[in-house]
Amino acid sequence: MTSLLKQAEETLEKAHARINLRWYPRYHLAARAGWMNDPNGLVWFDGWYHAFYQHHPYSTKWGPMHWGHARSKDLVHWEHLPVALAPEGPADKDGCFSGSAVVDGDTLALIYTGHKFHGSADTDDNLYQVQCLATSRDGIHFERHGMVLDTPPGLHHFRDPKVWREGEFWYMVVGSRVGETGQVRLYRSADLRQWHDEGILAEAEEGMGYMWECPDFFSLNGSRVLMFSPQGLVAEGYQNRNLFQSGYLLGEWQPDQPFGHDGQFIEMDSGHDFYAPQSFLSPDGRRIVIGWLDMWESPMPEQQDGWAGMLSLPREVSLGENNRLMMKPIAEVAALRGSYFPVPAHCLNNQQVFVAAEAEAVELLLEWERSTSLAEQYGMVLGDGLRIYVDNQAQRLVLERNYPDFSLVGTRSIPLPEGNILSLRIFIDRSSVEVFVNEGEACLSSRIYPQPGVRDIMLFANSGTAALKEAGYWSLEK
Ligand code: FRU
């Protein structure tokens, strides 16, 4: 282990012992201490799922990026491993930025962005982002091979390589910025070392962003999904409300052919906090996506507790009717379920009903019958800061968080989907909520900050009745 990695380990060990656990996730992956952002290098290798992530071990704020590392047998129970990469230079002297992992024979290969300034770091003119390679036989200790792809002439922002195998070649997409236009560039290689420029795979049309981060390009039910995280989209009505977005374009692609798509960017998650998702294949062929359950420049109250940032639940994606991406929690999540507690009341009439005390790690199931639910608003509350409810006048499903002490106040919402039954699976952890609507038709993910002791779950119906076909919760245990 290099001295920088050793230093990171020693720091994390001490810092972990000091963190305040009040908002630390019970069943999501977060760093032992310090800062975390994007998931990186999601991969199945040698009998384990590996998750790496953008990590700053020395502070709860973003800084020189390392790659944190954890592994799991089921994507639900995680074991922390030593920090895998530190910005040791020269190619990555100012940070090991986001990237991906592939299995090449008996080797685990990480392809990531080396972030470096030539001269002072106060201007993008001095910024260079290059793609680097590191390999490992044991999946824990990595040999660094330095830069394998230089910044194209004239570019500065050129990052987040996602590599995959197709036919006899490796392919790689990289996010980039050309002036005020976001782009995804495509490369091809026989050996992960020499990369051939295959041109621009996709680029922003008017209003579609100045930088496209974290591209990912995969097949799904015969179509091709370009998933990415654009910066610079303007909020419009209920769309694009967060500082940056994550979503996808759907189309067709074959090697050596252009990516044909309809130009329609669709957001993947309608909550406050979901960014920089990355996908990978499970050994049984499922396409699974994990995102960062946070948003840039949004307050992160857990920083006062010695840590910051967490990852979403792993979500299995598929293509639904209307060619929309569906996301539902992977089946393994059910392994967390303890006892089921049914909610006795099945009809609420202008009232509140108590469901659970001190809900820290809970999966709540609510199946509302819409034809008989005429209340103006009906849904659930957690403590005094979270409400997830149907607004019958607006015909929307609303997630409202209200933590004025932390400047986290506001709503996100989606139109009510079709159908008489509105089925909600709501995953609550100590500082997060993820709502899966109708088996994955829509999803809303947000960070929440209830104080300990103020976490009871209630159901409510305001001005009218609301009817439940099924309602109950599982306490989730690790
Ligand atoms: C996305 C991102 C990536 C970059 C990384 C830096 O959240 O900005 O584009 O590689 O975070 O930590």
Side-chain angles (χ1 to χ4, degrees):
M1 206 185 258
T2 64
S3 63
L4 273 184
L5 292 177
K6 211 178 279 167
Q7 193 183 325
E9 279 313 296
E10 285 165 11
T11 304
L12 284 166
E13 215 163 286
K14 286 195 204 119
H16 180 65
R18 288 196 303 264
I19 64 172
N20 180 339
L21 294 174
R22 65 182 155 161
W23 292 315
Y24 194 80
R26 289 258 302 260
Y27 61 97
H28 289 76
L29 182 60
R32 286 168 285 176
W35 166 274
M36 160 195 271
N37 57 289
D38 313 358
N40 294 155
L42 305 175
V43 72
W44 166 264
F45 173 67
D46 211 12
W48 293 92
Y49 289 103
H50 291 257
F52 301 83
Y53 52 87
Q54 291 286 280
H55 186 28
H56 192 203
Y58 302 104
S59 160
T60 57
K61 301 215 169 83
W62 188 86
M65 282 292 102
H66 295 54
W67 273 39
H69 189 190
R71 71 177 178 185
S72 169
K73 286 283 181 194
D74 61 3
L75 291 167
V76 182
H77 299 87
W78 292 98
E79 172 194 348
H80 288 286
L81 292 174
V83 172
L85 299 171
E88 300 185 68
D92 57 12
K93 75 176 176 64
D94 297 311
C96 302
F97 273 20
S98 284
S100 51
V102 290
V103 179
D104 183 15
D106 58 3
T107 299
L108 178 60
L110 309 182
I111 303 93
Y112 66 97
T113 297
H115 174 76
K116 56 176 179 165
F117 288 92
H118 294 179
S120 123
D122 54 16
T123 160
D124 275 4
D125 294 345
N126 290 341
L127 171 67
Y128 292 88
Q129 295 187 323
V130 301
Q131 314 320 318
C132 299
L133 176 70
T135 57
S136 170
R137 285 290 169 83
D138 67 1
I140 297 177
H141 304 95
F142 290 85
E143 185 187 344
R144 300 155 49 89
H145 302 279
M147 177 177 90
V148 290
L149 180 64
D150 206 346
T151 323
L155 290 201
H156 295 281
H157 292 269
F158 177 61
R159 59 178 175 268
D160 310 336
K162 178 75 188 339
V163 178
W164 75 98
R165 181 90 189 173
E166 191 143 339
E168 26 168 350
F169 290 107
W170 298 104
Y171 288 86
M172 168 165 79
V173 279
V174 185
S176 64
R177 171 177 185 166
V178 179
E180 292 305 305
T181 303
Q183 286 186 341
V184 173
R185 297 190 169 221
L186 181 67
Y187 296 83
R188 181 167 58 87
S189 170
D191 59 4
L192 296 174
R193 283 158 175 84
Q194 301 271 331
W195 288 95
H196 176 254
D197 185 355
E198 299 272 295
I200 296 165
L201 182 74
E203 74 181 327
E205 290 169 14
E206 186 67 31
M208 280 309 300
Y210 57 81
M211 170 70 200
W212 286 6
E213 298 189 309
C214 302
D216 194 341
F217 196 47
F218 54 87
S219 303
L220 199 63
N221 307 102
S223 290
R224 201 81 188 191
V225 179
L226 178 63
M227 180 170 84
F228 59 104
S229 297
Q231 297 180 313
L233 269 54
V234 177
E236 209 187 315
Y238 292 103
Q239 246 61 59
N240 306 331
R241 298 300 324 174
N242 298 330
L243 178 64
F244 304 139
Q245 326 306 324
S246 55
Y248 61 96
L249 296 168
L250 199 68
E252 308 286 332
W253 183 79
Q254 295 289 331
D256 301 321
Q257 300 289 319
F259 174 45
H261 61 85
D262 61 7
Q264 205 197 345
F265 174 76
I266 302 171
E267 280 186 84
M268 292 180 66
D269 189 299
S270 304
H272 296 89
D273 298 289
F274 187 78
Y275 195 63
Q278 184 176 97
S279 84
F280 62 103
L281 273 179
S282 67
D284 59 3
R286 289 173 295 163
R287 178 63 59 177
I288 299 174
V289 165
I290 298 180
W292 179 39
L293 202 50
D294 289 284
M295 183 51 60
W296 288 109
E297 291 176 38
S298 179
M300 297 170 92
E302 73 267 30
Q303 284 172 323
Q304 38 180 294
D305 293 348
W307 65 283
M310 59 187 281
L311 298 187
S312 76
L313 279 180
R315 299 155 182 207
E316 181 178 349
V317 294
S318 59
L319 216 51
E321 287 165 26
N322 322 328
N323 270 348
R324 287 293 176 108
L325 212 67
M326 311 265 290
M327 290 203 295
K328 58 177 187 188
I330 54 163
E332 289 89 330
V333 168
L336 294 168
R337 288 175 177 169
S339 318
Y340 184 65
F341 301 91
V343 174
H346 272 219
C347 189
L348 283 74
N349 187 3
N350 204 18
Q351 66 184 133
Q352 284 220 356
V353 173
F354 172 84
V355 173
E358 264 309 279
E360 279 200 343
V362 159
E363 176 185 348
L364 178 66
L365 174 71
L366 298 176
E367 291 186 351
W368 296 103
E369 200 175 79
R370 283 176 55 196
S371 56
T372 47
S373 297
L374 303 175
E376 288 182 359
Q377 297 186 335
Y378 58 92
M380 64 83 77
V381 292
L382 176 81
D384 53 8
L386 173 70
R387 298 203 305 156
I388 296 162
Y389 63 91
V390 170
D391 181 333
N392 246 334
Q393 295 165 68
Q395 287 289 294
R396 297 186 75 84
L397 176 70
V398 183
L399 185 160
E400 174 190 87
R401 66 177 177 187
N402 186 31
Y403 303 98
D405 291 353
F406 307 124
S407 306
L408 291 169
V409 177
T411 60
R412 291 289 179 268
S413 70
I414 56 165
L416 284 177
E418 308 231 314
N420 187 33
I421 300 298
L422 175 67
S423 156
L424 306 178
R425 284 176 74 188
I426 302 176
F427 287 85
I428 292 159
D429 205 335
R430 281 196 184 123
S431 59
S432 65
V433 61
E434 288 159 281
V435 185
F436 295 91
V437 183
N438 288 357
E439 286 292 306
E441 265 180 54
C443 184
L444 299 102
S445 307
S446 295
R447 297 296 303 275
I448 56 173
Y449 295 92
Q451 293 295 349
V454 196
R455 309 193 53 119
D456 289 358
I457 295 179
M458 317 270 276
L459 300 183
F460 70 92
N462 293 342
S463 302
T465 58
L468 286 153
K469 183 169 155 267
E470 174 69 43
Y473 72 92
W474 290 268
S475 55
L476 302 181
E477 313 289 339
K478 271 242 256 200

